[in-house]
Amino acid sequence: MTSEQIDLTHDTELIGEYEQVHMHVFGTPLRVLDHGQGTHVWDVDGNEYLDFLAGIAVNSIGYAHPAWIEAVSAQAAQAAHVSNYFATRPQISLAAKLVELAGAPQGSHVYFGNSGAEANEAALKLAKLYGRSLGADKPYRIIALEHGFHGRTMGALSATWKPAIREPFQPLVPNFEFVPANDLDAMRAAFEATDSGPVAAVIMELIQGEAGVLPLDPEFVRGVRSLCDEHHAKLIVDEVQTGMGRTGKWFAFQRDDLGGITPDMVTFAKGVAGGFPMGGMIAFGEELSALFSPGTHGSTFAGNPLGAAAGLATIGVIEREDLLVNAEARGEQLRRQIRACGNPLFESVRGRGLLNAIVLTHPCAHAAMDWALEHGLIINAVAPNALRLAPPLVVSENDVDEAVHVLAAIPSDLPND
């Protein structure tokens, strides 16, 4: 990290090459990164950055962890991929471990995919099969929350609220409805609108990550669980961003201050394999799991041994290094120091564990993100007035001190985005 003028000679050249060959769906890259170690990354010009985004909550055990490298290298030397006509030891072991960590009952099963969107696609397809089993004379419905984000594929996008990313692709999958977050009366009214057909499932994040790191009220979460029970609907908890230790528990639904409920399906991705592309879904119980039969769903790369080995290594590091405890402690330290840093740009800070957002007094999040990057800190403008902080779970006390030092110095008079 530095306050000096940084050299971006090679970076600028490579970004020019990038834009000649890559579709412009991500915008212009902020930097061309070369390598990382722990919580730090370096760009192609050798500039060092403290990464408080972790690949958007993906690099849960940081960069180049020796145990991860060893596990992935060993598996690559054996078999990187086999088709799903066959099984592998890592695939079996990882599924069993995830069922255990989720506290799912006997008879629960895992489906592996490659991303969060694929995880949610699997859950929504399973919900559709469950809806058909209700035998109603009207179409079943799936309820999602306003400001929720579940992915950009067509099924996941149908459950994603943001109009700007939905509308260009309409018509989407029918019979999805949106209810305001934390409005239990509105949720109850949606359930009771039986003239529209029964509710098959509710899908929700317990912390709405892409909306600005907005934790749901625990009373609302428990109320939705009760409504699902009352009306024989399934509750899908999207833990793509919050899962695998990010909030100080293996899954956010296990936190008392986020509901402390048991879902019917949990989706995961991002941090599960420490940087290797992997996602999936856990269906709680035998009856629900059995709705997926051979041919109802699948993926060429689902649960491949290389990804499964990466997942087992990642979970092993989190367990051995007590990173759930670290996530809770460093998250508390981060929020406490941000509140005390005295920057007049900061209105408040919110979140759980190591998924947090700083709320700004005016909508200059992109300008603030750029200023931090120029001063060696990677953060994310998750909303016009909010900065997302999601460092690796291996983040140290000194890392937090260093990050807050930069954050405290962000000018309060930055222009609006």
Side-chain angles (χ1 to χ4, degrees):
M1 299 177 66
T2 179
S3 59
E4 301 174 359
Q5 184 68 33
I6 59 177
D7 177 26
L8 294 174
T9 302
H10 298 298
D11 186 277
T12 301
E13 178 183 342
L14 285 169
I15 286 176
E17 295 179 13
Y18 173 98
E19 295 200 312
Q20 290 178 21
V21 293
H22 281 265
M23 288 190 175
H24 201 63
V25 295
F26 300 111
T28 300
L30 298 172
R31 295 288 189 274
V32 179
L33 298 182
D34 182 72
H35 66 282
Q37 182 67 52
T39 56
H40 291 76
V41 292
W42 287 260
D43 66 24
V44 290
D45 291 293
N47 301 302
E48 181 180 356
Y49 307 88
L50 176 59
D51 186 0
F52 260 52
L53 186 58
I56 314 182
V58 168
N59 299 317
S60 47
I61 58 173
Y63 295 86
H65 195 289
W68 192 93
I69 293 172
E70 181 181 1
V72 172
S73 299
Q75 185 60 51
Q78 289 184 280
H81 174 78
V82 301
S83 79
N84 282 309
Y85 291 117
F86 303 92
T88 62
R89 286 190 180 94
Q91 178 192 47
I92 297 166
S93 298
L94 180 59
K97 187 65 175 179
L98 288 166
V99 169
E100 174 194 333
L101 295 178
Q106 186 175 1
S108 300
H109 290 75
V110 175
Y111 169 80
F112 286 121
N114 306 292
S115 67
E118 288 188 31
N120 286 325
E121 288 279 350
L124 293 169
K125 285 183 72 174
L126 193 59
K128 278 182 161 288
L129 290 178
Y130 173 74
R132 291 184 65 183
S133 74
L134 296 175
D137 58 357
K138 293 182 179 179
Y140 55 84
R141 298 172 289 144
I142 296 175
I143 298 176
L145 298 186
E146 293 182 5
H147 301 288
F149 182 92
H150 302 289
R152 298 177 187 271
T153 50
M154 293 298 282
L157 185 60
S158 301
T160 294
W161 180 78
K162 193 174 183 180
I165 65 174
R166 285 172 53 86
E167 290 173 356
F169 303 101
Q170 291 178 337
L172 296 171
V173 179
N175 300 323
F176 280 82
E177 299 176 9
F178 294 94
V179 167
N182 297 321
D183 189 338
L184 193 56
D185 289 337
M187 181 66 75
R188 184 177 293 106
F191 267 96
E192 292 175 352
T194 53
D195 287 348
S196 300
V199 175
V202 175
I203 182 169
M204 62 186 188
E205 308 156 275
L206 299 186
I207 301 177
Q208 295 185 312
E210 298 302 314
V213 189
L214 301 169
L216 296 185
D217 294 338
E219 295 79 8
F220 175 76
V221 176
R222 286 189 281 267
V224 174
R225 174 71 273 181
S226 295
L227 285 168
C228 287
D229 291 339
E230 179 185 347
H231 293 270
H232 308 290
K234 300 302 181 184
L235 177 59
I236 305 168
V237 176
D238 179 341
E239 296 259 14
V240 167
Q241 194 161 156
T242 54
M244 307 317 300
R246 173 67 37 194
T247 72
K249 295 286 188 181
W250 284 110
F251 295 96
F253 76 81
Q254 295 166 330
R255 292 187 64 109
D256 289 339
D257 60 359
L258 285 171
I261 49 86
T262 299
D264 297 298
M265 290 178 253
V266 171
T267 59
F268 58 87
K270 290 193 180 291
V272 67
F276 193 95
M278 173 170 275
M281 178 266 293
I282 306 170
F284 282 46
E286 182 70 47
E287 184 176 353
L288 183 59
S289 297
L291 293 175
F292 265 169
S293 58
T296 50
H297 198 46
S299 169
T300 295
F301 295 103
N304 74 84
L306 195 59
L312 287 168
T314 300
I315 291 170
V317 170
I318 294 172
E319 289 181 321
R320 290 191 300 274
E321 299 185 9
D322 289 328
L323 296 186
L324 299 185
V325 174
N326 192 61
E328 188 75 9
R330 299 287 72 78
E332 290 179 359
Q333 176 193 357
L334 180 62
R335 291 186 293 275
R336 180 178 68 252
Q337 291 187 1
I338 289 171
R339 293 185 183 109
C341 77
N343 190 328
L345 179 61
F346 299 166
E347 180 178 293
S348 62
V349 59
R350 62 188 175 221
R352 300 289 190 279
L354 287 173
L355 180 59
N356 296 279
I358 301 172
V359 181
L360 308 178
T361 56
H362 65 279
C364 63
H366 281 90
M369 175 188 72
D370 292 341
W371 190 95
L373 185 65
E374 291 294 328
H375 292 78
L377 178 66
I378 297 175
I379 55 177
N380 169 236
V382 70
N385 70 332
L387 298 170
R388 175 168 49 187
L389 311 174
L393 306 188
V394 296
V395 68
S396 70
E397 186 174 351
N398 287 338
D399 288 334
V400 174
D401 290 342
E402 190 175 358
V404 174
H405 178 75
V406 175
L407 292 167
I410 296 176
S412 61
D413 60 351
L414 292 172
N416 289 348
D417 292 340

